[in-house]
Amino acid sequence: MRLVVGTNFDDKLIDELKKYPVRYIFGSKTKTLTGHGRASFVLPQVDEERLKEHIQIAHDAGIKFLYTMNTATLNGKEYSQKFLESLKKEIDSLVNLGVDGFIVAMPFLVHFIKNEYPDLEISISSFSRVYNIREFEEYVNMGADTIILHEDDNRNFSLLNSLSKFRNKVDIELILNNSCLWGCPYRRTHDIVSSVTSQSDSEVNVWFEYPILFCATDVRNDLANIIRMRWIRPEDLRHYEELGIDRFKIASRNKKTDWIVRAVKAYSQGRYEGNLLDIVSYPQGRAVPAVMKKINGPNDYDVLTQVYVDNTKFPPNWLSYFKYNSCETRSCEECRYCDIIAEKVITVQGKPLSEINLPKIKPPIELIPRFSKDASNEGSKDH
């Protein structure tokens, strides 16, 4: 097992991580020239000096550092010679700071970095949304060292089996603990919002990523969506290791040290006895209810804070179902396997799911302007 863990730039975290099979940590400065895969307002403040110190501490612990340059868009700046010159200086500077490689999502950045530094490790971000074997092959041909698959691939065992033949050419990495909706229609928008709000020249001045509100609404309206999410339980890692996949990512760079260590320990040991949501990102149930309180929004989402997914109650071979059934071609309404599992493992305030009957709600899109840091100024101009 090789773990790749998002860092929160707490040096004490590295002291803990070196107890486990953590081979890489990843992160970036808070706002960057290109932008990256997390909105800057959810991350710690990291400047060049803090980055340099943290990389050195990681190296001293035998852990490599990957820099996240995984923006989903450069907003057309690829056409600017001035931007390309700045990008070259940025990469040179990061290499001099000790960065061991980059995580990128755009083919342009793959080519740009490989042209300048052919021996640097390049990981293809999940933001590239590699979803089939042809896309995978294209990135292999570009010279990628690692391809982080789309979260939706995690239970597509037909695809994973097909990709196993590339193991001698490229590393395959799976994300263990993201809580994105299966087949999420908001994902592309969310990728772009995260990317734009983490760019140093961005004029988007917000404090919350509104696609999460849409996502939380879907979960609130159907709690079985939690089971449909493509997280991987610690106990189920064996299914992937049997395919020869042993490189796994723990998404965590906006988390506190204790939270990260708990997740790393659980996946390293291959077991967790508790609420699965305690090691899964789950912004739907953590961030959204808090945001609604902050803006005096509806309390419809509070129920998401009370959900318990008992990780000990999953049937031992529950994941095997996905080896013989295709979620890509079968409707969830028709299948309902995840609904059956949800009934077994989910409770809300101690009550079984069968006793929970919540009225359906719509996402309150009229609240989105309140997520802007400029909202109060705009309001004052209007009155």
Side-chain angles (χ1 to χ4, degrees):
M1 175 188 292
R2 294 171 294 159
L3 293 180
V4 184
V5 179
T7 181
N8 60 5
F9 286 90
D10 177 4
D11 295 338
K12 295 178 182 177
L13 172 65
I14 295 176
D15 287 335
E16 294 296 324
L17 294 185
K18 63 186 182 183
K19 302 174 185 176
Y20 302 100
V22 176
R23 301 293 178 259
Y24 296 87
I25 58 174
F26 62 91
S28 69
K29 289 183 279 188
T30 310
K31 280 201 169 190
T32 69
L33 178 70
T34 60
H36 48 82
R38 285 289 181 270
S40 60
F41 47 79
V42 302
L43 296 177
Q45 291 299 311
V46 175
D47 57 16
E48 190 166 291
E49 188 59 32
R50 178 83 281 265
L51 179 64
K52 180 180 180 180
E53 292 172 353
H54 198 63
I55 290 174
Q56 186 57 58
I57 291 169
H59 285 170
D60 291 343
I63 298 172
K64 292 184 177 182
F65 187 96
L66 299 175
Y67 192 85
T68 50
M69 198 175 275
N70 57 330
T71 182
T73 178
L74 289 171
N75 298 313
K77 287 181 283 191
E78 305 95 309
Y79 293 99
S80 166
Q81 184 61 38
K82 182 178 179 181
F83 174 78
L84 298 185
E85 291 169 359
S86 297
L87 179 60
K88 172 66 165 58
K89 290 179 182 177
E90 174 85 349
I91 294 169
D92 289 344
S93 173
L94 291 167
V95 171
N96 289 333
L97 289 177
V99 164
D100 297 291
F102 291 86
I103 301 174
V104 301
M106 298 180 64
F108 169 81
L109 290 174
V110 179
H111 289 295
F112 192 94
I113 295 171
K114 280 292 187 181
N115 285 344
E116 300 293 334
Y117 293 97
D119 296 327
L120 270 182
E121 290 188 49
I122 297 293
S123 293
I124 304 303
S125 170
S126 63
F127 271 30
S128 291
R129 303 304 172 196
V130 175
Y131 197 65
N132 60 54
I133 196 166
R134 181 57 186 158
E135 291 171 322
F136 189 94
E137 287 177 322
E138 285 291 317
Y139 282 108
V140 171
N141 294 336
M142 285 181 210
D145 299 283
T146 300
I147 298 177
I148 307 168
L149 295 181
H150 191 319
E151 297 97 320
D152 280 3
D153 294 337
N154 282 1
R155 296 179 196 169
N156 185 346
F157 285 95
S158 175
L159 176 64
L160 295 177
N161 269 308
S162 297
L163 295 180
S164 64
K165 66 184 178 184
F166 291 96
R167 281 181 296 153
N168 62 335
K169 294 183 178 180
V170 66
D171 257 333
I172 299 171
E173 184 174 313
L174 301 181
I175 303 176
L176 296 174
N177 65 330
N178 268 358
S179 64
C180 295
L181 291 173
W182 158 244
C184 179
Y186 320 115
R187 184 179 280 118
R188 297 286 185 184
T189 302
H190 195 177
D191 290 352
I192 293 172
V193 169
S194 297
S195 300
V196 170
T197 54
S198 61
Q199 292 171 353
S200 53
D201 64 350
S202 175
E203 296 181 0
V204 179
N205 194 19
V206 299
W207 56 270
F208 181 64
E209 300 160 282
Y210 79 85
I212 299 176
L213 177 62
F214 287 34
C215 179
T217 304
D218 280 11
V219 176
R220 158 63 177 68
N221 285 340
D222 184 358
L223 293 176
N225 276 323
I226 293 173
I227 306 302
R228 297 185 186 102
M229 296 169 180
R230 267 29 188 178
W231 35 255
I232 298 173
R233 298 169 61 239
E235 294 80 359
D236 293 330
L237 286 174
R238 60 184 176 85
H239 292 277
Y240 302 94
E241 292 172 329
E242 287 169 1
L243 296 175
I245 299 172
D246 69 344
R247 178 166 169 148
F248 304 106
K249 169 183 169 180
I250 294 179
S252 55
R253 60 192 181 115
N254 61 329
K255 301 294 188 182
K256 294 181 179 179
T257 296
D258 289 349
W259 192 99
I260 299 173
V261 172
R262 179 173 63 231
V264 170
K265 180 181 178 181
Y267 283 107
S268 297
Q269 295 180 344
R271 67 179 185 277
Y272 185 69
E273 296 181 1
N275 187 354
L276 183 63
L277 298 178
D278 289 340
I279 59 173
V280 170
S281 56
Y282 195 50
Q284 301 92 342
R286 295 189 183 96
V288 173
V291 165
M292 290 297 102
K293 284 182 173 60
K294 183 174 181 177
I295 63 171
N296 295 317
N299 61 5
D300 296 318
Y301 300 92
D302 288 354
V303 66
L304 296 179
T305 67
Q306 301 157 3
V307 176
Y308 192 97
V309 181
D310 192 334
N311 195 47
T312 68
K313 291 188 176 179
F314 282 82
N317 291 312
W318 83 283
L319 196 62
S320 296
Y321 179 88
F322 297 94
K323 295 182 179 181
Y324 307 104
N325 293 273
S326 173
C327 293
E328 287 72 22
T329 58
R330 192 177 183 191
S331 163
C332 291
E333 294 279 335
E334 173 192 341
C335 173
R336 302 196 67 77
Y337 178 70
C338 291
D339 298 79
I340 294 170
I341 298 298
E343 292 282 354
K344 294 178 182 293
V345 304
I346 293 179
T347 56
V348 181
Q349 286 188 315
K351 296 180 181 179
L353 206 53
S354 58
E355 296 181 15
I356 306 300
N357 185 20
L358 299 172
K360 305 297 184 186
I361 61 172
K362 293 182 178 180
I365 61 172
E366 69 279 2
L367 300 180
I368 293 175
R370 298 192 199 178
F371 305 146
S372 169
K373 293 180 181 178
D374 301 323
S376 58
N377 293 333
E378 290 177 0
S380 63
K381 292 175 184 178
D382 291 339
H383 295 290

